[in-house]
Amino acid sequence: MKNLLLCTCALIALAGQALADISVTDVKGRTVTIPKTPERVVLGFYYEDYLAIVGPNAIDKVVALSLSTWKDWRPSQFAAYEKALPKLSSIPDVGNTEDNTFSIEKVIAAKPDLVILAAWSYDALGESVKQFDDAGIPVVTLDYNAQSVEKHVASTLVLGTLMGTKDRAQELADNYQDAMADIVARVEAAGPSNKKVYVELAQKGPSEVGNSYGDTMWGALVDRLGGDNIAKGQVGNWGPLSPEYVLAQKPDLIFLAGSEWLNKPQSVSVGFGASNELARERMKAYLGRPGWSELPAVKNGGVHAIYHGGARTLSDYVFAQYIAKQLHPDAFKDVNPEQNLKDYYKAWLPIEADGTFVLPYQAVGQ
């Protein structure tokens, strides 16, 4: 009887532990199990999404992060968050996989309960990720880069479950799904646009051709919105198109994806703290490329700047609205993407969306 009682107690204890565990399946199909809501997080990417999903005090859980892919890629955005969340200034940097500076040793030294990585970053680490398993540190992968509703929603709900903010995550997922469903319904009602679209990463100035996007990010959005993405079939995820090919395709719409990059003096400057005047000045240089003056997009006022930092986020539906509005003007005439972006930040994030995030080269009425 004594042995039976001991066995019963042990089973009850194990069952209680199992019930306390939090288990999810991440976007790579990996089962991630943690014993409790994390208090120490290493954040590798998707900074704004993490803050939105986890909510107030989210930054207090971050014990290390990949700094340069935020501070260097989006310096004005980072500065706005640094002002609102002073702790950002003192959080250790673990490097990033984009430039091969990511240090697994620094991550392990931070003693995290959870490591959050973009799926592409996880893939870049290859066999090295086994070091996290050996150290007993759980890793969850998210994927907003795929620019699909399914992976946006899955990533959001997975992170909300792990971080103990299921209700907030569900509300954000519903908001995204509803916004994208409305866009799709309007696009379907409008019918095919037949407009050719060229998207270029406007980072290095007009003398060097920047990446375009095949089946991810801006390319995936253009496809979903009924545009004819001229990069589709020419590049996979991303890569530059030849100038001759772009001229031959005669795009009806050109979107120059700009941002706030450091040390990129010829880039199309949009994002936090950006001005319409400077953005149009930088866009004008691109329009001076050989042959561009004859493109339908240039002749007919179809050249636009769009915030590259706005892709692969839970707020990217507003940029989908903007692109869709150029493809189907009548169907989206009552949609105000700029205001919707401001509303999103006001509802979910600790900073305001102050700056220029979308902009036609020709001002309305010209």
Side-chain angles (χ1 to χ4, degrees), residues 21-237:
D21 285 346
I22 305 169
S23 186
V24 298
T25 301
D26 72 7
V27 294
K28 293 190 70 64
R30 302 167 55 255
T31 298
V32 182
T33 302
I34 56 177
K36 63 177 183 177
T37 302
E39 293 297 328
R40 298 178 62 82
V41 170
V42 171
L43 182 58
F45 202 53
Y46 303 132
Y47 313 103
E48 289 194 290
D49 303 299
Y50 169 82
L51 293 173
I53 294 164
V54 180
N57 304 316
I59 201 66
D60 294 335
K61 294 177 179 286
V62 179
V63 294
L65 52 67
S66 292
L67 185 62
S68 65
T69 44
W70 194 0
K71 189 174 183 179
D72 293 353
W73 289 10
R74 315 280 178 256
S76 299
Q77 182 193 94
F78 181 85
Y81 279 107
E82 194 173 30
K83 185 176 180 180
L85 305 170
K87 185 186 174 183
L88 270 179
S89 302
S90 59
I91 297 176
D93 177 25
V94 297
N96 72 86
T97 60
E98 183 74 7
D99 61 8
N100 298 313
T101 60
F102 189 85
S103 171
I104 292 178
E105 292 76 14
K106 287 182 179 180
V107 174
I108 293 174
K111 300 179 180 178
D113 304 318
L114 181 67
V115 176
I116 300 169
L117 294 177
W120 57 264
S121 189
Y122 180 91
D123 291 342
L125 290 173
E127 293 296 310
S128 299
V129 296
K130 291 181 180 178
Q131 295 179 52
F132 292 127
D133 294 334
D134 296 339
I137 298 173
V139 177
V140 65
T141 62
L142 311 178
D143 189 353
Y144 294 96
N145 279 65
Q147 213 64 65
S148 73
V149 174
E150 295 75 20
K151 288 193 175 180
H152 269 52
V153 169
S155 298
T156 302
L157 297 181
V158 160
L159 188 57
T161 299
L162 291 175
M163 298 305 300
T165 55
K166 279 186 178 181
D167 291 345
R168 188 178 177 94
Q170 187 65 61
E171 195 173 347
L172 275 159
D174 290 345
N175 178 66
Y176 190 81
Q177 283 182 302
D178 292 346
M180 291 303 292
D182 175 70
I183 292 170
V184 170
R186 290 171 184 260
V187 168
E188 289 180 348
S193 74
N194 298 317
K195 291 181 180 178
K196 291 186 175 183
V197 180
Y198 173 52
V199 181
E200 182 179 336
L201 185 67
Q203 183 184 60
K204 300 178 181 180
S207 63
E208 185 171 346
V209 180
N211 286 339
S212 194
Y213 301 86
D215 52 14
T216 61
M217 295 178 61
W218 298 119
L221 270 183
V222 170
D223 285 344
R224 185 180 290 270
L225 301 174
D228 181 2
N229 173 25
I230 69 169
K232 189 172 184 178
Q234 301 297 312
V235 297
N237 291 334

Side-chain angles (χ1 to χ4, degrees), residues 201-206 257-270 278-279 281-283 286:
L201 185 67
Q203 183 184 60
K204 300 178 181 180
S259 192
E260 319 144 7
W261 297 289
L262 288 176
N263 303 317
K264 303 292 183 184
Q266 298 184 71
S267 66
V268 172
S269 177
V270 291
L278 181 57
E281 179 183 323
R282 300 281 179 82
M283 292 166 76
Y286 276 80

Side-chain angles (χ1 to χ4, degrees), residues 292-303 362:
W292 273 43
S293 62
E294 297 303 310
L295 293 177
V298 177
K299 285 183 173 182
N300 302 323
V303 179
Q362 290 183 326

